[in-house]
Amino acid sequence: MAKKSKIAANERRKAVVLRYAERRAVLKETVRTGTPQERAAAVRELNRQPRDASATRIRNRDSVDGRPRGHLTRFGISRIRFREMAHRGELPGITKASW
């Protein structure tokens, strides 16, 4: 189980990303297509935003216990939790491979 403070910090980051997402998208588009003066102003504005406003600051974590590594995006859980749940038959359509 991950520390509760790490899980809470990640949730806080998700909220900040959502708050700034629309404004960041507009500024990124300006950086991509604007005039040199507009680009410079957009870059300055992006730099003034909080670091946690960037979506790359969010860490994929196990939805059950918050484990940060071995995350399976398709299921939203870690590899260890996936294996446990698959063995108990809690994941529909998932069977243990044998050949």
Side-chain angles (χ1 to χ4, degrees), residues 30-46:
T30 303
V31 169
R32 194 173 72 77
T33 61
T35 65
Q37 293 83 13
E38 291 173 340
R39 287 179 181 175
V43 168
R44 278 194 303 275
E45 177 62 30
L46 282 169

Side-chain angles (χ1 to χ4, degrees), residues 13-68:
R13 284 188 195 105
K14 286 180 184 179
V16 172
V17 166
L18 286 176
R19 192 175 334 138
Y20 285 91
E22 189 176 330
R23 180 67 181 144
R24 281 185 67 83
V26 170
L27 291 170
K28 291 277 197 175
E29 182 62 25
T30 303
V31 169
R32 194 173 72 77
T33 61
T35 65
Q37 293 83 13
E38 291 173 340
R39 287 179 181 175
V43 168
R44 278 194 303 275
E45 177 62 30
L46 282 169
N47 288 337
R48 275 197 296 259
Q49 289 185 347
R51 281 188 178 190
D52 287 344
S54 175
T56 59
R57 302 276 291 191
I58 296 175
R59 178 82 167 156
N60 287 329
R61 290 185 174 270
D62 186 323
S63 60
V64 178
D65 67 359
R67 179 181 167 83

